[in-house]
Amino acid sequence: MALDSIEGSLKERGVRLTRQRQILLELIDKTGEHLDAERLYQMAKEKDPKLNRVTVYRTLKMLKAGGLVDELDLMHYVGDQHYYETRLKQEHAHVICLRCGKVEEFFGEPLQRLRKQIESHFGFQILLARTEVGGYCAHCQTLRAREVEELRSRPAEPEKGEARRTPGKARPARARRA
Amino acid sequence: MALDSIEGSLKERGVRLTRQRQILLELIDKTGEHLDAERLYQMAKEKDPKLNRVTVYRTLKMLKAGGLVDELDLMHYVGDQHYYETRLKQEHAHVICLRCGKVEEFFGEPLQRLRKQIESHFGFQILLARTEVGGYCAHCQTLRAREVEELRSRPAEPEKGEARRTPGKARPARARRA
DNA sequence: GTTAGTGCAAACCTTTTGCAGCTCT
DNA sequence: AGAGCTGCAAAAGGTTTGCACTAAC
């Protein structure tokens, strides 16, 4: 289990395992990947209503600095927040559908190949690497084509305010905080 | 020249080539890559002191939406701002030294390979891809080793305030705005 | 008992938005 | 003329910081 190895690593470095950190660590570990600070905070608050958002940020920062979690942007599909996942699995790329938001992970040899070539080409010592890819997933390619077609046949239906987005399921609105 | 093809593309789409956009486009094109909004704004202000920061953001957003520029994070080495570069050259990865901040670009076949594999593996239609790598450049590996050694021999010299960073050239402080 | 860590409030940086006025075509 | 852009001010979103108090070791 990942949790143990993370806690071990922290203890070695003399980092205190406070109640708050235990809650956060467990959530990060067992929820799987792609949690952002706010969502982690919301989940942690259910376990300890007193736990503060700042503690979440500080913990994530520490874990990142210690190389225990990786920070992702997921192409800023939703907004400018960061996402975190434990650094355990093999290196992988994140593939984000710009229409439905689904995130796939790609493992595979081109990634190792890329890493090695960069290291030898520049004599570079890689500490972290991040590959993110945006586009349309198989499912959305069809739907997208249909949407474009509809737009073409019924052009520029005027609407109050902002320029009309693609109809149906478009990008989610920026999440507002409570 | 890149500028022409960008301006052409904008004209085609009925986007107006205002004085402000011409200034920004020219700066983006000929300054080379890795400008963030604030720096672009500062440079643009020299050509037109009235030009507003908001216009810079709006222009960048439009160029990005139109696929004319790519947005980079450069591993958030400096802060959380984004960097932009014209999308002209072949796909490439950005390699950032976490000590001196130097950015190298890596072209090379593993990138195309990766792209193709992702497309065929998921049936995914890639629109944008971004690979960023952080670590130590050849030069800084040596210096870094020396720093760590120094720290080991002269431990925990207490200092007012924050936990001491690596001596010498450490990460730049967050840039403050005027 | 120390020192690291927490909570709170307030700041901070980056980016977006509403709206009135200006300007390209 | 009129849609599209701009500038200004203000807000929002995401994250960090200062400081006094608390809790882990």
Side-chain angles (χ1 to χ4, degrees):
Chain A
M1 200 219 250
L3 224 184
D4 288 344
S5 84
I6 290 186
E7 293 190 344
S9 168
L10 291 179
K11 241 174 213 159
E12 268 178 41
R13 290 189 281 139
V15 172
R16 290 184 189 168
L17 277 166
T18 60
R19 184 177 35 81
Q20 292 88 331
R21 299 227 257 235
Q22 284 173 32
I23 292 175
L24 294 172
L25 251 25
E26 193 187 328
L27 285 173
I28 293 173
D29 179 57
K30 81 170 187 204
T31 307
E33 49 268 70
H34 312 154
L35 282 176
D36 65 343
E38 182 64 19
R39 212 150 103 66
L40 182 55
Y41 169 57
Q42 295 302 339
M43 295 173 74
K45 240 187 358 186
E46 282 177 28
K47 303 209 170 192
D48 175 358
K50 290 299 200 61
L51 196 150
N52 196 279
R53 186 181 276 120
V54 173
T55 299
V56 175
Y57 279 106
R58 283 197 275 234
T59 300
L60 288 173
K61 198 177 191 181
M62 179 213 64
L63 292 173
K64 178 180 135 196
L68 297 172
V69 300
D70 281 314
E71 192 179 68
L72 315 173
D73 298 309
L74 298 184
M75 280 298 181
H76 303 300
Y77 173 71
V78 177
D80 281 348
Q81 67 278 66
H82 295 133
Y83 299 85
Y84 298 87
E85 64 180 16
T86 54
R87 183 191 285 190
L88 288 165
K89 300 153 93 169
Q90 213 188 338
E91 181 176 348
H92 55 283
H94 290 93
V95 182
I96 301 100
C97 177
L98 266 22
R99 189 179 168 281
C100 69
K102 188 163 92 176
V103 179
E104 307 253 31
E105 307 195 326
F106 176 82
F107 302 74
E109 59 97 21
L111 285 165
Q112 280 78 57
R113 218 181 161 77
L114 178 60
R115 174 182 276 261
K116 275 183 203 136
Q117 280 215 19
I118 288 176
E119 286 181 331
S120 63
H121 184 65
F122 297 113
F124 197 88
Q125 178 192 358
I126 295 181
L127 296 179
L128 10 45
R130 179 157 87 198
T131 296
E132 299 190 342
V133 172
Y136 294 122
C137 72
H139 182 239
C140 285
Q141 281 168 46
T142 327
L143 300 172
R144 173 79 187 152
R146 196 171 307 164
E147 287 168 7
V148 171
E149 189 44 52
E150 274 173 29
L151 271 186
R152 183 182 306 284
S153 63
R154 172 174 41 69
E157 167 184 321
E159 187 138 0
K160 181 170 164 268
E162 188 192 1
R164 188 175 174 68
R165 283 207 185 280
T166 44
K169 197 178 173 208
R171 284 191 60 162
R174 256 172 177 282
R176 310 269 154 175
R177 206 173 271 171
Chain B
M1 199 219 249
L3 224 184
D4 289 342
S5 84
I6 290 186
E7 293 190 342
S9 168
L10 291 180
K11 242 173 214 163
E12 268 179 42
R13 290 190 282 138
V15 172
R16 289 186 189 166
L17 278 166
T18 60
R19 184 177 35 83
Q20 292 90 329
R21 287 187 180 157
Q22 284 173 31
I23 292 176
L24 294 172
L25 251 25
E26 192 185 328
L27 285 172
I28 293 172
D29 178 57
K30 81 170 189 204
T31 306
E33 49 267 68
H34 311 154
L35 282 175
D36 65 342
E38 183 63 20
R39 212 150 102 66
L40 182 55
Y41 169 57
Q42 295 302 338
M43 295 173 76
K45 241 187 359 186
E46 282 177 28
K47 303 209 169 192
D48 175 359
K50 290 298 202 62
L51 196 151
N52 195 278
R53 186 181 275 118
V54 173
T55 299
V56 176
Y57 280 106
R58 283 198 275 234
T59 300
L60 288 173
K61 198 176 190 183
M62 178 212 63
L63 292 173
K64 177 179 135 199
L68 297 172
V69 300
D70 281 315
E71 192 179 67
L72 315 173
D73 298 310
L74 299 183
M75 280 296 181
H76 302 300
Y77 172 72
V78 178
D80 281 348
Q81 67 279 68
H82 295 136
Y83 298 85
Y84 298 86
E85 65 179 16
T86 54
R87 183 192 284 190
L88 288 165
K89 300 153 88 165
Q90 212 187 338
E91 182 176 346
H92 55 282
H94 290 93
V95 182
I96 301 100
C97 178
L98 266 21
R99 188 180 168 282
C100 70
K102 188 163 92 174
V103 178
E104 307 252 32
E105 307 195 327
F106 175 82
F107 302 73
E109 60 97 21
L111 285 165
Q112 279 79 57
R113 220 181 158 77
L114 178 60
R115 173 183 276 261
K116 276 184 202 132
Q117 280 215 17
I118 288 177
E119 287 181 330
S120 63
H121 184 65
F122 298 112
F124 197 88
Q125 178 192 358
I126 296 181
L127 296 180
L128 9 44
R130 178 157 86 199
T131 295
E132 299 190 343
V133 171
Y136 294 122
C137 71
H139 181 239
C140 285
Q141 282 169 46
T142 328
L143 300 172
R144 174 77 189 156
R146 197 173 304 162
E147 287 168 6
V148 171
E149 189 45 52
E150 275 174 26
L151 272 186
R152 182 182 307 285
S153 63
R154 172 175 42 70
E157 168 184 319
E159 187 139 358
K160 179 167 167 272
E162 188 192 1
R164 187 176 175 69
R165 284 207 185 280
T166 43
K169 196 175 174 209
R171 285 190 60 160
R174 253 171 180 283
R176 310 267 155 177
R177 206 172 271 171

